[in-house]
Amino acid sequence: MDTRVVIKATSFIILTIISVPANLVVCCAFLHSYLIEAKLLTADIILCHLAFANLMVAFTRSIPQTMAALGYLNLFDDVGCKVTILCFRAFRGLSISLTCLLCVYQAVAISPATSLLASLKMRIPQYLLYIILFLYLLYYFSSITSVLNAVSSLFNNTIPPYTLNLGYCFVLYKDYSSYISMGIGIISRDFVFIVLMTIMSGYILILLYQHGQKVKNIRSSDHSQKGGRAETKASRAVVILVILYVVFFGVDNIIWLYSLTILREAPLISDIRVFFATLYTSACPIVVITTNPKVQKKLKLMKMKGEVQPTDSSTITV
């Protein structure tokens, strides 16, 4: 087997092994909290939907890409290709928009009462479900036209110009103008969210710095600082997610922009671009698991139950 194929298959297998269980853990932790407590915090709702979006990206891109690298090329028919690519593009868009929404909300949550963002503190939680529903509908409907020309195989196995070769499916464009329009549209959309996330992350860092300076000058009890420490930890986690997103999808979009200038994209370039496009789905849940107290609490409870069960079963046996 070719070395490039081995590296490609191994890379996507590792991403899938990390991404699917980690995002499932995050989703299940928040869903369990909702069933027990009958409510979730605004940030937790966004994180739950973000984990679900990342999970679907893994199912619709990482797993098919892994199968294709292992030689299973005929995974879908034409309809299957259209549905798979539609879901990938929609959930990829949801991933960036939900990360942006999380960043904006966190900036609003920690902003002072005199800030211009203060008026959004009540409005975002109030209209959160409508905002998320709007994002779902927006990305699904905006992605429909771009996947109408997706096919599972090509005539005579010849790849024509202006074709996206995913390994398991192909997306055909009739001319350069439609090809470049699609690419510029995706890059422009991502760029808007990245700029907004960057601005809000900078604002969060400024607030955290100002808070740190105040803490140095004001002594207070641990009880009075508990809420502040929680907000600080949450804000830092959000900034980490934004940095990861900007780096991973920045590389993805740079390579994507380069691929728009050439007639046929080389397989290696395509593999690198897809790898960075799906890398966030593995990194994001790891950050959430290691920084979110609610998820950590659920994992500890699961661990404790796992340790108790053998003792109970042995007692019954005796």
Side-chain angles (χ1 to χ4, degrees):
M1 188 180 289
D2 186 24
T3 304
R4 185 184 69 83
V5 175
V6 174
I7 295 174
K8 175 183 176 181
T10 304
S11 300
F12 282 104
I13 287 173
I14 293 172
L15 285 183
T16 304
I17 290 174
I18 296 173
S19 178
V20 173
N23 283 297
L24 278 174
V25 165
V26 175
C27 285
C28 291
F30 287 127
L31 289 175
H32 185 264
S33 294
Y34 178 75
L35 292 174
I36 298 300
E37 303 170 9
K39 65 176 182 178
L40 280 177
L41 298 175
T42 301
D44 294 341
I45 295 174
I46 299 174
L47 284 172
C48 186
H49 282 275
L50 178 58
F52 176 70
N54 289 333
L55 182 63
M56 295 307 297
V57 169
F59 280 134
T60 57
R61 180 51 66 91
S62 297
I63 293 178
Q65 205 76 39
T66 303
M67 299 297 289
L70 294 174
Y72 299 96
L73 301 180
N74 299 319
L75 296 174
F76 309 104
D77 57 10
D78 289 353
V79 175
C81 281
K82 288 177 172 58
V83 172
T84 302
I85 296 172
L86 171 64
C87 290
F88 166 72
R89 291 192 175 178
F91 282 108
R92 180 188 180 276
L94 280 167
S95 182
I96 182 173
S97 60
L98 289 171
T99 303
C100 184
L101 178 61
L102 179 66
C103 184
V104 171
Y105 172 73
Q106 195 61 42
V108 170
I110 66 173
S111 62
T114 56
S115 170
L116 295 175
L117 299 176
S119 61
L120 297 175
K121 286 188 178 182
M122 295 300 295
R123 291 184 181 180
I124 291 181
Q126 184 179 359
Y127 297 104
L128 179 63
L129 295 182
Y130 296 104
I131 295 172
I132 293 175
L133 178 60
F134 170 76
L135 292 175
Y136 272 88
L137 295 176
L138 172 67
Y139 282 104
Y140 262 102
F141 283 111
S142 64
S143 301
I144 289 176
T145 55
S146 61
V147 300
L148 293 177
N149 296 322
V151 296
S152 59
S153 60
L154 298 171
F155 182 71
N156 289 334
N157 292 325
T158 302
I159 301 178
Y162 317 123
T163 299
L164 292 180
N165 181 7
L166 303 178
Y168 53 91
C169 288
F170 304 88
V171 183
L172 308 177
Y173 294 92
K174 59 182 180 179
D175 51 35
Y176 182 71
S177 60
S178 59
Y179 181 68
I180 196 75
S181 297
M182 177 274 305
I184 299 251
I186 293 176
I187 291 174
S188 300
R189 181 194 66 191
D190 288 355
F191 184 73
V192 169
F193 283 111
I194 287 175
V195 169
L196 181 57
M197 283 190 291
T198 303
I199 293 173
M200 289 299 163
S201 296
Y203 179 66
I204 290 174
L205 291 175
I206 291 173
L207 292 179
L208 291 179
Y209 174 77
Q210 292 175 347
H211 175 73
Q213 294 299 311
K214 289 180 181 179
V215 169
K216 289 181 180 179
N217 299 325
I218 301 174
R219 291 185 177 181
S220 56
S221 65
D222 290 341
H223 179 74
S224 63
Q225 293 184 17
K226 186 176 180 180
R229 286 200 299 267
E231 289 293 342
T232 299
K233 289 180 180 179
S235 300
R236 288 173 179 169
V238 170
V239 172
I240 292 172
L241 287 178
V242 171
I243 292 173
L244 290 175
Y245 194 97
V246 171
V247 171
F248 296 155
F249 283 87
V251 173
D252 170 28
N253 282 328
I254 289 172
I255 298 175
W256 177 235
L257 185 62
Y258 167 74
S259 68
L260 294 176
T261 63
I262 56 180
L263 207 59
R264 289 181 177 87
E265 187 179 43
L268 178 61
I269 294 176
S270 177
D271 293 343
I272 295 173
R273 180 175 63 83
V274 173
F275 176 80
F276 278 97
T278 54
L279 187 56
Y280 183 73
T281 64
S282 298
C284 177
I286 292 175
V287 173
V288 175
I289 290 171
T290 56
T291 59
N292 189 279
K294 189 166 291 184
V295 176
Q296 291 176 349
K297 181 180 178 181
K298 296 299 178 184
L299 289 175
K300 288 180 180 178
L301 289 174
M302 290 172 60
K303 185 179 179 181
M304 290 173 62
K305 288 182 179 179
E307 292 175 350
V308 169
Q309 282 178 356
T311 305
D312 293 341
S313 61
S314 61
T315 304
I316 294 172
T317 303
V318 172

